[in-house]
Amino acid sequence: MTWKKVAEKSEIAPGKSREFQIDGKKIAIFNQNGYHALDSMCVHQDGSLAPGKLDGDVVECPLHFWHYNIKTGELLDYIKGVKLQTYKVEARNDGIYLDV
Ligand code: FES
C-alpha cells in the first residue's frame, strides 16, 4: 500500500465525484461528508459509479440504478455479500491522496 496524490482538492466539488485511472484501476472518489474512494465499476454491467446520483452515503449506478454504500462499497440491491473494494483517502494541504 502506498499513498499517492491523485487530484487537487478543487477537482471534486462537495456532493460530487470523479473517476480516476490509478495503476490500471478505475476508482471513484466521492466528496460527500468527507472523501470516500471505491472501485468505480458496477458489478452488474460495469457501469461507472462516478456520475451516479448521490443520496447520503448511497450512490446509484446511472445505468440500471443499483445502489452502493460509498463508505463500505457494499451493494445494497439484489445480491447479498457483494462489496466493491474501498480505499483510504485523505485530503491533505496540497491535494487528495489515496492509499492504493
Ligand atoms: S451497470 Fe450498474 S446497474 Fe447495471
Side-chain angles (χ1 to χ4, degrees):
M1 293 285 181
T2 323
W3 287 98
K4 273 192 182 172
K5 180 175 174 180
V6 293
E8 303 297 334
K9 284 191 269 191
S10 59
E11 289 181 69
I12 313 171
K16 301 284 183 197
S17 58
R18 271 195 57 189
E19 183 177 280
F20 297 88
Q21 187 97 25
I22 301 160
D23 293 346
K25 295 182 213 175
K26 289 181 178 175
I27 297 176
I29 300 180
F30 296 86
N31 179 359
Q32 174 88 327
N33 302 320
Y35 292 94
H36 309 283
L38 63 159
D39 280 342
S40 75
M41 282 201 338
C42 178
V43 298
H44 179 221
Q45 288 181 4
D46 296 343
S48 171
L49 299 178
K53 200 167 72 181
L54 269 170
D55 184 5
D57 293 344
V58 176
V59 63
E60 183 178 75
C61 178
L63 293 192
H64 317 96
F65 317 118
W66 289 20
H67 298 87
Y68 295 84
N69 183 305
I70 61 170
K71 291 184 175 167
T72 64
E74 189 183 356
L75 174 65
L76 304 173
D77 306 298
Y78 305 112
I79 313 166
K80 282 209 164 121
V82 174
K83 268 189 184 183
L84 296 172
Q85 164 107 44
T86 56
Y87 303 88
K88 286 187 198 154
V89 54
E90 272 184 17
R92 300 184 186 172
N93 287 342
D94 67 334
I96 297 171
Y97 285 74
L98 206 63
D99 189 12
V100 282

XYZ file of all heavy atoms in Angstrom:
801
model
N 0.843 -1.203 0.000
C 0.000 0.000 0.000
C 0.881 1.257 0.000
O 1.816 1.357 0.770
C -0.890 0.017 1.240
C -1.923 -1.081 1.243
S -3.222 -0.671 0.082
C -4.300 -2.054 0.280
N 0.550 2.191 -0.864
C 1.335 3.412 -0.991
C 0.386 4.592 -1.135
O -0.571 4.523 -1.905
C 2.173 3.390 -2.301
O 2.619 2.070 -2.523
C 3.323 4.350 -2.234
N 0.681 5.663 -0.425
C -0.127 6.876 -0.593
C 0.317 7.602 -1.849
O 1.505 7.815 -2.061
C 0.041 7.783 0.630
C -0.674 7.253 1.829
C -0.122 6.522 2.850
C -2.063 7.384 2.134
N -1.096 6.195 3.767
C -2.298 6.713 3.366
C -3.137 8.000 1.492
C -3.554 6.648 3.955
C -4.390 7.942 2.080
C -4.589 7.266 3.299
N -0.663 7.954 -2.669
C -0.378 8.663 -3.928
C -1.275 9.861 -4.034
O -2.487 9.751 -3.763
C -0.734 7.761 -5.116
C 0.338 6.857 -5.553
C -0.045 6.251 -6.889
C 1.058 5.283 -7.270
N 0.732 4.514 -8.428
N -0.708 10.973 -4.494
C -1.568 12.132 -4.775
C -2.316 11.868 -6.078
O -1.707 11.534 -7.090
C -0.732 13.403 -4.901
C -1.590 14.611 -5.178
C -0.795 15.891 -5.185
C -1.708 17.040 -5.619
N -1.012 18.319 -5.641
N -3.639 11.989 -6.047
C -4.408 11.674 -7.248
C -5.163 12.876 -7.811
O -5.602 12.843 -8.956
C -5.402 10.517 -6.996
C -4.652 9.228 -6.734
C -6.353 10.828 -5.859
N -5.339 13.917 -7.004
C -6.131 15.048 -7.502
C -5.880 16.275 -6.636
O -5.408 16.163 -5.495
C -7.617 14.713 -7.470
N -6.218 17.423 -7.204
C -6.292 18.638 -6.409
C -7.651 18.645 -5.715
O -8.624 18.098 -6.254
C -6.176 19.883 -7.300
C -4.925 19.948 -8.144
C -3.658 20.019 -7.307
O -3.720 20.496 -6.149
O -2.604 19.596 -7.802
N -7.702 19.300 -4.567
C -8.983 19.318 -3.848
C -10.079 20.007 -4.667
O -11.245 19.646 -4.602
C -8.810 19.998 -2.481
C -8.111 19.074 -1.494
C -8.175 19.600 -0.094
C -6.976 20.444 0.190
N -6.827 20.796 1.602
N -9.674 20.978 -5.486
C -10.661 21.718 -6.277
C -11.290 20.861 -7.391
O -12.283 21.259 -7.993
C -9.999 22.939 -6.909
O -8.922 22.518 -7.726
N -10.717 19.698 -7.661
C -11.222 18.873 -8.772
C -12.511 18.129 -8.437
O -13.194 17.644 -9.344
C -10.170 17.848 -9.211
C -8.981 18.460 -9.923
C -7.986 17.391 -10.359
O -8.318 16.618 -11.258
O -6.895 17.328 -9.770
N -12.801 17.965 -7.149
C -14.025 17.244 -6.772
C -14.835 18.143 -5.843
O -14.501 18.309 -4.670
C -13.716 15.914 -6.061
C -12.646 15.116 -6.820
C -14.985 15.084 -5.922
C -12.142 13.903 -6.066
N -15.877 18.728 -6.386
C -16.699 19.659 -5.599
C -17.485 18.892 -4.533
O -17.754 17.697 -4.703
C -17.651 20.390 -6.533
N -17.871 19.560 -3.455
C -18.701 18.894 -2.443
C -19.979 18.336 -3.066
O -20.610 18.989 -3.901
C -19.027 20.022 -1.454
C -17.933 21.015 -1.637
C -17.537 20.934 -3.094
N -20.328 17.118 -2.683
C -21.526 16.480 -3.213
C -21.321 15.848 -4.577
O -22.267 15.353 -5.185
N -20.049 15.850 -5.066
C -19.766 15.309 -6.403
C -18.729 14.192 -6.305
O -18.136 13.948 -5.254
C -19.202 16.411 -7.310
C -20.114 17.582 -7.484
C -21.235 17.253 -8.431
C -22.121 18.475 -8.652
N -23.401 18.152 -9.205
N -18.485 13.584 -7.454
C -17.456 12.551 -7.509
C -16.799 12.563 -8.876
O -17.347 13.139 -9.819
C -18.076 11.184 -7.245
O -19.081 10.948 -8.195
N -15.638 11.928 -8.934
C -14.934 11.797 -10.219
C -14.256 10.457 -10.276
O -13.871 9.909 -9.248
C -13.868 12.887 -10.354
C -14.404 14.147 -10.971
C -13.296 15.049 -11.415
N -12.386 14.408 -12.351
C -11.239 14.950 -12.734
N -10.869 16.113 -12.266
N -10.462 14.322 -13.592
N -14.086 9.986 -11.498
C -13.387 8.715 -11.679
C -11.940 8.989 -12.070
O -11.677 9.879 -12.877
C -14.076 7.914 -12.786
C -13.468 6.548 -12.997
C -14.236 5.781 -14.053
O -15.292 5.223 -13.727
O -13.781 5.756 -15.206
N -11.021 8.218 -11.495
C -9.604 8.333 -11.803
C -9.087 6.962 -12.205
O -9.552 5.935 -11.706
C -8.828 8.829 -10.578
C -9.243 10.192 -10.140
C -10.305 10.351 -9.245
C -8.617 11.325 -10.627
C -10.716 11.614 -8.841
C -9.024 12.596 -10.236
C -10.072 12.740 -9.336
N -8.124 6.967 -13.111
C -7.455 5.728 -13.517
C -6.157 5.681 -12.716
O -5.285 6.528 -12.908
C -7.166 5.818 -15.022
C -6.620 4.565 -15.620
C -7.722 3.732 -16.265
O -8.739 4.257 -16.661
N -7.499 2.447 -16.358
N -6.046 4.729 -11.806
C -4.868 4.669 -10.936
C -4.329 3.248 -10.959
O -5.025 2.303 -10.583
C -5.238 5.079 -9.497
C -5.796 6.501 -9.499
C -4.031 4.984 -8.579
C -6.606 6.852 -8.286
N -3.091 3.109 -11.412
C -2.463 1.782 -11.510
C -3.370 0.793 -12.239
O -3.533 -0.353 -11.813
C -2.132 1.238 -10.112
C -1.053 2.059 -9.425
O -0.394 2.862 -10.120
O -0.887 1.896 -8.219
N -3.988 1.242 -13.306
C -4.824 0.346 -14.107
C -6.206 0.100 -13.534
O -6.984 -0.640 -14.125
N -6.501 0.699 -12.385
C -7.842 0.512 -11.809
C -8.661 1.779 -11.987
O -8.115 2.882 -11.915
C -7.739 0.269 -10.295
C -7.039 -0.985 -9.911
C -7.077 -1.084 -8.395
C -5.839 -1.763 -7.901
N -5.728 -1.801 -6.466
N -9.956 1.600 -12.159
C -10.845 2.755 -12.195
C -11.411 2.939 -10.798
O -12.101 2.043 -10.279
C -11.973 2.515 -13.189
C -11.492 2.549 -14.617
C -12.638 2.338 -15.562
C -12.118 2.420 -16.994
N -13.164 2.111 -17.951
N -11.108 4.091 -10.225
C -11.509 4.346 -8.839
C -12.321 5.640 -8.798
O -11.918 6.654 -9.377
C -10.270 4.455 -7.928
C -9.521 3.111 -7.929
C -10.662 4.865 -6.508
C -8.228 3.111 -7.155
N -13.458 5.586 -8.137
C -14.299 6.774 -7.983
C -14.018 7.390 -6.615
O -13.981 6.679 -5.605
C -15.771 6.400 -8.097
N -13.801 8.694 -6.611
C -13.635 9.403 -5.337
C -14.827 10.336 -5.170
O -15.135 11.144 -6.056
C -12.319 10.194 -5.296
C -11.144 9.234 -5.477
C -12.191 10.943 -3.970
C -9.786 9.908 -5.451
N -15.493 10.180 -4.048
C -16.682 10.981 -3.721
C -16.320 12.006 -2.660
O -15.626 11.688 -1.692
C -17.795 10.068 -3.169
C -18.296 9.078 -4.165
C -17.659 7.856 -4.336
C -19.403 9.367 -4.949
C -18.119 6.935 -5.268
C -19.871 8.455 -5.884
C -19.234 7.237 -6.040
N -16.803 13.223 -2.833
C -16.663 14.261 -1.816
C -18.048 14.463 -1.206
O -18.832 15.295 -1.662
C -16.131 15.546 -2.464
C -15.976 16.675 -1.460
O -16.279 16.516 -0.284
N -15.509 17.818 -1.937
N -18.345 13.633 -0.222
C -19.682 13.640 0.372
C -19.496 13.406 1.875
O -19.228 12.279 2.288
C -20.516 12.520 -0.279
C -21.875 12.297 0.328
C -22.930 13.189 -0.311
O -22.657 14.315 -0.716
N -24.151 12.701 -0.383
N -19.578 14.481 2.658
C -19.287 14.389 4.094
C -17.922 13.739 4.303
O -17.797 12.727 4.976
C -20.363 13.585 4.823
C -21.732 14.204 4.639
O -21.856 15.425 4.676
N -22.742 13.392 4.411
N -16.913 14.325 3.705
C -15.578 13.726 3.692
C -15.372 13.004 2.369
O -16.308 12.888 1.574
N -14.145 12.547 2.149
C -13.840 11.872 0.884
C -13.927 10.367 1.066
O -13.529 9.836 2.105
C -12.434 12.254 0.412
C -12.312 13.700 0.003
C -11.881 14.660 0.909
C -12.628 14.106 -1.285
C -11.776 15.992 0.547
C -12.530 15.438 -1.665
C -12.095 16.378 -0.749
O -11.997 17.688 -1.113
N -14.452 9.695 0.038
C -14.575 8.242 0.057
C -14.158 7.733 -1.320
O -14.485 8.352 -2.331
C -16.021 7.827 0.338
C -16.585 8.502 1.542
N -16.277 8.114 2.816
C -17.374 9.585 1.657
C -16.880 8.930 3.671
N -17.549 9.829 2.994
N -13.439 6.608 -1.327
C -12.949 6.072 -2.601
C -13.283 4.597 -2.711
O -13.135 3.840 -1.745
C -11.440 6.274 -2.696
N -13.727 4.199 -3.898
C -14.017 2.792 -4.138
C -13.906 2.491 -5.633
O -13.930 3.407 -6.458
C -15.403 2.396 -3.615
C -16.651 3.016 -4.192
C -17.842 2.130 -3.898
C -16.897 4.365 -3.564
N -13.761 1.202 -5.934
C -13.751 0.797 -7.338
C -15.010 1.336 -7.989
O -16.095 1.249 -7.419
C -13.716 -0.729 -7.456
C -12.313 -1.283 -7.257
O -11.343 -0.513 -7.369
O -12.200 -2.490 -6.982
N -14.846 1.881 -9.198
C -15.997 2.597 -9.758
C -16.825 1.746 -10.704
O -17.822 2.221 -11.232
C -15.549 3.873 -10.463
O -14.952 3.554 -11.683
N -16.443 0.486 -10.929
C -17.211 -0.316 -11.879
C -18.293 -1.125 -11.178
O -18.009 -1.964 -10.330
C -16.284 -1.232 -12.656
C -15.567 -0.447 -13.726
S -14.891 -1.353 -15.119
C -14.688 -2.979 -14.615
N -19.515 -0.865 -11.573
C -20.666 -1.591 -11.044
C -20.535 -3.079 -11.378
O -20.130 -3.431 -12.497
C -21.914 -0.998 -11.693
S -23.443 -1.791 -11.202
N -20.878 -3.942 -10.433
C -20.743 -5.387 -10.682
C -21.802 -5.906 -11.650
O -21.699 -7.019 -12.141
C -20.820 -6.211 -9.372
C -19.674 -5.833 -8.440
C -22.156 -6.035 -8.680
N -22.813 -5.119 -11.951
C -23.867 -5.586 -12.854
C -23.354 -5.649 -14.284
O -23.150 -6.736 -14.811
C -25.111 -4.675 -12.731
C -26.220 -5.076 -13.632
N -26.979 -4.168 -14.311
C -26.684 -6.295 -13.975
C -27.880 -4.823 -15.042
N -27.719 -6.102 -14.842
N -23.091 -4.485 -14.890
C -22.583 -4.485 -16.274
C -21.515 -3.414 -16.448
O -21.472 -2.731 -17.477
C -23.717 -4.274 -17.269
C -24.609 -5.499 -17.375
C -25.742 -5.344 -18.377
O -25.856 -4.338 -19.071
N -26.597 -6.339 -18.442
N -20.680 -3.271 -15.408
C -19.517 -2.382 -15.487
C -19.853 -0.914 -15.699
O -19.041 -0.164 -16.242
C -18.540 -2.830 -16.584
C -17.938 -4.195 -16.281
O -18.029 -4.625 -15.108
O -17.379 -4.805 -17.201
N -21.026 -0.475 -15.304
C -21.327 0.952 -15.355
C -20.389 1.719 -14.423
O -19.946 1.185 -13.413
N -20.086 2.949 -14.789
C -19.244 3.762 -13.914
C -20.110 4.419 -12.842
O -21.099 5.083 -13.158
C -18.535 4.842 -14.720
O -17.892 5.729 -13.826
N -19.700 4.251 -11.594
C -20.484 4.827 -10.498
C -20.193 6.310 -10.285
O -20.967 7.006 -9.628
C -20.194 4.076 -9.196
C -20.552 2.589 -9.215
C -20.166 1.945 -7.902
C -22.036 2.401 -9.483
N -19.089 6.806 -10.842
C -18.694 8.190 -10.552
C -19.775 9.213 -10.913
O -20.005 10.142 -10.148
C -17.376 8.521 -11.235
N -20.450 9.057 -12.065
C -21.505 10.043 -12.361
C -22.854 9.707 -11.726
O -23.855 10.349 -12.032
C -21.609 9.992 -13.891
C -21.110 8.654 -14.276
C -20.202 8.160 -13.183
N -22.882 8.724 -10.845
C -24.147 8.290 -10.254
C -24.718 9.316 -9.289
O -24.007 10.143 -8.731
N -26.027 9.231 -9.101
C -26.719 10.161 -8.202
C -26.403 9.780 -6.759
O -26.457 8.602 -6.392
C -28.223 10.046 -8.462
C -29.001 11.239 -7.988
C -30.415 11.222 -8.551
C -31.235 10.147 -7.871
N -32.604 10.032 -8.352
N -26.083 10.787 -5.950
C -25.747 10.538 -4.548
C -26.914 10.911 -3.651
O -27.556 11.940 -3.842
C -24.561 11.422 -4.144
C -23.159 10.864 -4.317
C -22.146 11.976 -4.109
C -22.888 9.711 -3.374
N -27.154 10.057 -2.656
C -28.159 10.361 -1.640
C -27.586 9.896 -0.316
O -27.565 8.691 -0.028
C -29.465 9.636 -1.989
C -30.582 9.983 -1.015
O -30.374 10.843 -0.131
O -31.666 9.383 -1.138
N -27.071 10.833 0.470
C -26.389 10.449 1.708
C -25.172 9.598 1.391
O -24.328 9.994 0.582
N -25.100 8.411 1.993
C -23.955 7.517 1.768
C -24.169 6.591 0.578
O -23.379 5.682 0.357
C -23.745 6.621 3.001
C -23.293 7.416 4.208
O -22.850 8.568 4.028
O -23.387 6.877 5.324
N -25.239 6.808 -0.170
C -25.606 5.845 -1.211
C -25.445 6.470 -2.600
O -25.905 7.581 -2.849
C -27.067 5.372 -1.009
C -27.498 4.449 -2.140
C -27.198 4.666 0.336
N -24.774 5.715 -3.493
C -24.694 6.147 -4.894
C -25.513 5.174 -5.736
O -25.527 3.970 -5.487
C -23.229 6.226 -5.387
C -22.522 4.883 -5.377
C -23.171 6.836 -6.782
N -26.171 5.742 -6.735
C -26.995 4.948 -7.644
C -26.280 4.826 -8.985
O -25.924 5.838 -9.596
C -28.334 5.664 -7.835
C -29.317 4.931 -8.704
C -30.625 5.693 -8.789
O -30.661 6.719 -9.516
O -31.593 5.306 -8.119
N -26.069 3.616 -9.432
C -25.448 3.406 -10.741
C -26.351 4.035 -11.810
O -27.555 3.783 -11.832
C -25.266 1.914 -11.018
S -24.566 1.600 -12.653
N -25.759 4.855 -12.702
C -26.595 5.545 -13.692
C -27.219 4.611 -14.731
O -28.171 5.000 -15.399
C -25.648 6.537 -14.364
C -24.311 6.344 -13.783
C -24.356 5.248 -12.756
N -26.687 3.408 -14.898
C -27.204 2.559 -15.985
C -28.514 1.861 -15.629
O -29.500 1.981 -16.342
C -26.152 1.521 -16.396
C -24.890 2.087 -17.058
C -24.077 0.973 -17.687
C -25.223 3.134 -18.104
N -28.529 1.101 -14.520
C -29.772 0.373 -14.183
C -30.124 0.530 -12.711
O -30.833 -0.298 -12.145
C -29.639 -1.114 -14.545
C -28.982 -1.359 -15.873
N -27.636 -1.639 -15.995
C -29.485 -1.322 -17.128
C -27.329 -1.772 -17.285
N -28.423 -1.580 -17.979
N -29.506 1.517 -12.078
C -29.979 2.005 -10.764
C -29.740 1.045 -9.596
O -30.518 1.026 -8.649
C -31.467 2.417 -10.857
C -31.773 3.190 -12.109
C -32.669 2.707 -13.048
C -31.117 4.386 -12.376
C -32.921 3.407 -14.220
C -31.362 5.091 -13.539
C -32.272 4.602 -14.465
N -28.687 0.253 -9.660
C -28.297 -0.491 -8.477
C -27.617 0.494 -7.515
O -27.057 1.506 -7.951
C -27.332 -1.636 -8.827
C -27.978 -2.771 -9.552
C -29.148 -2.753 -10.243
C -27.460 -4.102 -9.663
N -29.393 -3.996 -10.785
C -28.387 -4.838 -10.451
C -26.316 -4.745 -9.196
C -28.183 -6.188 -10.755
C -26.124 -6.081 -9.510
C -27.056 -6.793 -10.269
N -27.640 0.161 -6.232
C -27.169 1.103 -5.213
C -26.006 0.522 -4.410
O -26.001 -0.676 -4.111
C -28.313 1.455 -4.257
C -29.449 2.130 -4.943
N -30.473 1.440 -5.534
C -29.695 3.446 -5.152
C -31.317 2.301 -6.090
N -30.871 3.519 -5.874
N -25.088 1.394 -4.056
C -23.919 1.001 -3.257
C -23.718 2.001 -2.128
O -23.945 3.211 -2.309
C -22.644 1.029 -4.104
C -22.623 0.030 -5.226
C -23.230 0.329 -6.438
C -21.989 -1.202 -5.085
C -23.215 -0.579 -7.486
C -21.969 -2.115 -6.128
C -22.581 -1.804 -7.323
O -22.563 -2.700 -8.359
N -23.223 1.496 -1.001
C -22.782 2.373 0.074
C -21.370 2.856 -0.258
O -20.472 2.034 -0.463
C -22.794 1.595 1.400
C -22.413 2.468 2.573
O -21.360 3.103 2.573
N -23.256 2.502 3.582
N -21.172 4.172 -0.320
C -19.862 4.689 -0.739
C -18.813 4.566 0.357
O -17.627 4.722 0.101
C -19.938 6.155 -1.236
C -20.446 7.094 -0.134
C -20.772 6.264 -2.494
C -20.310 8.578 -0.480
N -19.224 4.297 1.588
C -18.242 4.139 2.667
C -17.742 2.701 2.769
O -16.583 2.459 3.084
C -18.841 4.563 4.008
C -19.087 6.053 4.105
C -19.595 6.416 5.476
C -19.718 7.924 5.614
N -20.481 8.286 6.811
N -18.630 1.750 2.504
C -18.252 0.339 2.670
C -18.086 -0.384 1.332
O -17.518 -1.473 1.286
C -19.335 -0.413 3.462
O -20.547 -0.407 2.687
C -19.587 0.250 4.808
N -18.593 0.184 0.241
C -18.565 -0.472 -1.062
C -19.656 -1.506 -1.226
O -19.763 -2.148 -2.275
N -20.492 -1.664 -0.208
C -21.476 -2.746 -0.230
C -22.594 -2.489 -1.254
O -23.147 -1.382 -1.310
C -22.094 -2.879 1.164
C -22.966 -4.102 1.314
C -23.626 -4.157 2.694
O -23.333 -3.277 3.534
O -24.426 -5.054 2.921
N -22.894 -3.523 -2.035
C -24.052 -3.477 -2.930
C -25.313 -3.632 -2.087
O -25.405 -4.541 -1.257
C -23.952 -4.612 -3.948
C -25.151 -4.806 -4.870
C -25.343 -3.616 -5.805
C -24.994 -6.093 -5.677
N -26.289 -2.755 -2.316
C -27.476 -2.745 -1.456
C -28.691 -3.418 -2.095
O -29.738 -3.514 -1.474
C -27.812 -1.296 -1.075
C -26.670 -0.532 -0.393
C -27.039 0.928 -0.209
C -26.306 -1.167 0.936
N -28.554 -3.843 -3.358
C -29.694 -4.464 -4.037
C -29.348 -5.883 -4.485
O -28.196 -6.172 -4.804
C -30.056 -3.687 -5.316
C -30.284 -2.229 -5.067
O -31.205 -1.905 -4.326
O -29.518 -1.419 -5.618
N -30.331 -6.714 -4.589
C -30.331 -7.980 -5.342
C -29.407 -9.087 -4.819
O -29.848 -10.207 -4.619
C -30.034 -7.751 -6.832
C -30.974 -6.757 -7.442
C -30.514 -5.513 -7.870
C -32.327 -7.031 -7.542
C -31.392 -4.579 -8.405
C -33.215 -6.110 -8.075
C -32.740 -4.889 -8.499
O -33.599 -3.972 -9.012
N -28.101 -8.806 -4.650
C -27.179 -9.889 -4.297
C -26.554 -9.566 -2.944
O -25.949 -8.507 -2.780
C -26.039 -10.025 -5.340
C -26.607 -10.011 -6.761
C -25.253 -11.302 -5.096
C -25.551 -9.791 -7.827
N -26.690 -10.471 -2.008
C -26.117 -10.232 -0.668
C -24.618 -10.514 -0.675
O -24.151 -11.407 -1.370
C -26.794 -11.143 0.338
C -28.146 -10.649 0.752
C -28.466 -11.089 2.167
C -29.626 -10.263 2.689
N -30.756 -11.000 3.070
N -23.879 -9.749 0.122
C -22.467 -10.070 0.344
C -21.526 -9.576 -0.732
O -20.361 -9.951 -0.736
N -21.996 -8.723 -1.650
C -21.110 -8.182 -2.691
C -20.591 -6.826 -2.245
O -21.370 -5.964 -1.827
C -21.866 -8.039 -4.037
C -20.995 -7.339 -5.064
C -22.302 -9.388 -4.529
N -19.273 -6.675 -2.317
C -18.668 -5.397 -1.924
C -17.632 -4.984 -2.943
O -16.783 -5.801 -3.324
C -17.941 -5.569 -0.586
C -18.772 -5.258 0.603
C -17.918 -5.237 1.849
C -18.809 -5.021 3.053
N -18.054 -4.923 4.283
N -17.682 -3.732 -3.337
C -16.600 -3.183 -4.146
C -15.445 -2.849 -3.215
O -15.657 -2.500 -2.045
C -17.056 -1.901 -4.861
C -18.175 -2.085 -5.886
C -18.654 -0.732 -6.377
C -17.690 -2.936 -7.044
N -14.240 -2.945 -3.757
C -13.060 -2.597 -2.958
C -13.087 -1.110 -2.607
O -13.380 -0.267 -3.459
C -11.821 -2.907 -3.796
C -10.564 -2.272 -3.296
C -9.637 -3.271 -2.658
O -9.417 -4.358 -3.178
N -9.103 -2.905 -1.524
N -12.804 -0.787 -1.359
C -12.713 0.616 -0.950
C -11.248 0.943 -0.656
O -10.439 0.038 -0.455
C -13.556 0.896 0.306
O -13.146 0.014 1.344
C -15.033 0.705 0.036
N -10.935 2.215 -0.636
C -9.561 2.674 -0.426
C -9.569 3.797 0.590
O -10.524 4.582 0.640
C -8.961 3.200 -1.744
C -8.993 2.180 -2.842
C -10.117 2.065 -3.666
C -7.937 1.304 -3.046
C -10.180 1.104 -4.661
C -7.986 0.337 -4.045
C -9.112 0.246 -4.840
O -9.176 -0.699 -5.822
N -8.462 3.873 1.349
C -8.333 5.004 2.270
C -8.023 6.244 1.452
O -7.205 6.195 0.526
C -7.193 4.747 3.252
C -7.535 3.727 4.297
C -6.428 3.673 5.312
C -6.527 2.386 6.087
N -5.247 1.953 6.623
N -8.655 7.332 1.818
C -8.428 8.576 1.093
C -8.278 9.697 2.113
O -8.949 9.703 3.150
C -9.573 8.818 0.064
C -10.924 8.772 0.692
C -9.406 10.104 -0.684
N -7.336 10.595 1.828
C -7.067 11.701 2.755
C -6.971 12.997 1.983
O -6.327 13.048 0.931
C -5.707 11.493 3.439
C -5.782 10.677 4.693
C -4.431 10.585 5.392
O -3.517 11.394 5.105
O -4.304 9.685 6.213
N -7.584 14.035 2.534
C -7.396 15.376 1.978
C -6.256 16.020 2.757
O -6.362 16.210 3.965
C -8.670 16.180 2.126
N -5.165 16.276 2.079
C -4.031 16.952 2.719
C -3.968 18.383 2.183
O -4.728 18.746 1.276
C -2.733 16.200 2.417
C -2.780 14.771 2.943
C -1.469 14.057 2.730
N -1.591 12.658 3.114
C -0.657 11.750 2.896
N 0.481 12.073 2.305
N -0.838 10.495 3.283
N -3.020 19.170 2.742
C -2.933 20.578 2.330
C -2.779 20.733 0.838
O -3.363 21.633 0.226
C -1.749 21.257 3.019
C -2.052 21.502 4.481
O -3.221 21.472 4.879
N -1.028 21.708 5.280
N -2.017 19.834 0.209
C -1.703 20.007 -1.206
C -2.506 19.097 -2.128
O -2.170 18.968 -3.299
C -0.202 19.811 -1.433
C 0.218 18.370 -1.175
O -0.475 17.693 -0.387
O 1.222 17.931 -1.752
N -3.532 18.434 -1.633
C -4.341 17.645 -2.540
C -4.953 16.426 -1.901
O -4.900 16.239 -0.687
N -5.526 15.586 -2.749
C -6.199 14.365 -2.298
C -5.281 13.181 -2.527
O -4.781 12.981 -3.639
C -7.528 14.184 -3.048
C -8.447 15.350 -2.712
C -8.194 12.870 -2.672
C -9.691 15.397 -3.534
N -5.084 12.393 -1.483
C -4.200 11.244 -1.544
C -4.987 9.974 -1.334
O -5.932 9.926 -0.535
C -3.122 11.345 -0.447
C -2.036 12.343 -0.746
C -2.282 13.708 -0.645
C -0.775 11.929 -1.156
C -1.295 14.631 -0.935
C 0.223 12.846 -1.434
C -0.042 14.187 -1.328
O 0.935 15.108 -1.613
N -4.539 8.944 -2.040
C -5.203 7.643 -1.961
C -4.176 6.585 -1.569
O -3.032 6.628 -2.031
C -5.756 7.343 -3.343
C -6.943 6.430 -3.473
C -8.141 7.049 -2.769
C -7.266 6.245 -4.943
N -4.590 5.647 -0.751
C -3.730 4.529 -0.369
C -4.073 3.369 -1.297
O -5.093 2.715 -1.125
C -4.035 4.170 1.096
C -3.045 3.181 1.655
O -2.007 2.940 1.006
O -3.310 2.649 2.742
N -3.209 3.160 -2.309
C -3.521 2.105 -3.300
C -2.447 1.032 -3.311
O -1.343 1.251 -2.908
C -3.679 2.677 -4.727
C -5.035 3.337 -4.871
C -2.570 3.619 -5.091
S -24.338 -1.492 -14.800
Fe -24.800 -0.704 -12.823
S -26.847 -1.271 -12.514
Fe -26.378 -2.105 -14.453
